[in-house]
Amino acid sequence: MSTDFLLRHVESGGGTRDFRVYVPPDYDDDHTWPAVLFLHGAGERGNDSVTPTKVGIGPHLYDREPYPAIVVFPQCPAESHWSAPAARAIAAAALDSVISEFRIDAARIALTGISMGAAGAWLLASDQTGRFASLAPVCGWLSSRAKRDFSGFVKGIAHIPTWIFHGDADTIVPVDESRIMHAALEAAGAQVRYTELKGVGHNSWDPAYGESGLMEWLVGEDPRTRGPENSK
């Protein structure tokens, strides 16, 4: 696997944050490219900019061939969470910076995240309802574990094709968190797909980004044309 991720910097919240960008080896400016914004989990917080590339989507960018999309890896500060608006502003600013530098297809920008990053992805999709063409939360949750009615929230994101992943043996984030979101989106008439991984614990990101077809789905010509599917 290539470990060449471009180092970039962005101003957000009154400070400078480093982040990384994966650019396909055959990138050129002759046509536009899809982009994926990846939000890492709690264990990858900090300021080194490299750690977010080592867990989740990063290790799978060369599984079969170089991934045909630009992937953005912002990093959440060590003392924060993606649920914090200031942290999500860092991620949005990193994406904006990449859009200004590279030829990105604005109709093919995907959002995905793992664990804490999946929680952030739910919220960022709601923050910027017109930006993302597809959404893939992996072993995430939405907000308070005590809150169970997300019908109002999902109305704002029901237009975004969504594929949810969770391991049914997850002891860190209970699988019910994804089941509830899946049911709420279905009730809202969303185009939602849910894959529950039998016997898989918290690390559902390797099967999700590995052999599930998620990587291809994220950069598909138009995820909105694909019908909902469910697998458990």
Side-chain angles (χ1 to χ4, degrees), residues 4 31 39 66 85 100 118 122 129 131 150-151 157 169 176 198 212 226:
D4 295 329
H31 65 282
L39 302 185
S100 69
W122 285 121
T129 57
R131 165 162 272 188
F150 298 120
S151 56
I157 61 170
D176 276 352
K198 290 188 179 297
S212 71
R226 305 178 188 184

Side-chain angles (χ1 to χ4, degrees), residues 39-44 82 113-122 137-141 170 172-173 202 204-205:
L39 302 185
H40 61 75
E44 293 75 61
W82 290 124
I114 62 172
S115 193
M116 181 192 78
W122 285 121
V138 179
C139 62
W141 68 93
D170 193 333
I172 305 299
V173 178
H202 194 49
S204 50
W205 48 84

Side-chain angles (χ1 to χ4, degrees), residues 44 75 105 136 138 169 193 213:
E44 293 75 61
Q75 189 169 27
D105 183 346
V138 179
R193 182 175 182 176

Side-chain angles (χ1 to χ4, degrees), residues 22-134:
Y22 162 83
V23 179
D26 57 347
Y27 173 84
D28 59 49
D29 288 326
D30 292 339
H31 65 282
T32 57
W33 293 74
V36 179
L37 176 61
F38 171 74
L39 302 185
H40 61 75
E44 293 75 61
R45 289 175 293 179
N47 59 9
D48 70 305
S49 80
V50 175
T51 307
T53 69
K54 296 183 178 298
V55 179
I57 199 172
H60 294 280
L61 293 174
Y62 284 84
D63 276 359
R64 289 166 287 283
E65 58 185 17
Y67 196 52
I70 290 172
V71 185
V72 187
F73 296 85
Q75 189 169 27
C76 183
E79 70 282 0
S80 188
H81 298 81
W82 290 124
S83 59
R88 296 200 302 280
I90 293 170
L95 178 59
D96 287 339
S97 175
V98 168
I99 290 171
S100 69
E101 180 178 357
F102 299 95
R103 287 205 67 198
I104 302 297
D105 183 346
R108 296 171 66 195
I109 299 176
L111 173 61
T112 186
I114 62 172
S115 193
M116 181 192 78
W122 285 121
L123 293 169
L124 187 56
S126 180
D127 293 342
Q128 303 191 13
T129 57
R131 165 162 272 188
F132 300 106
S134 55

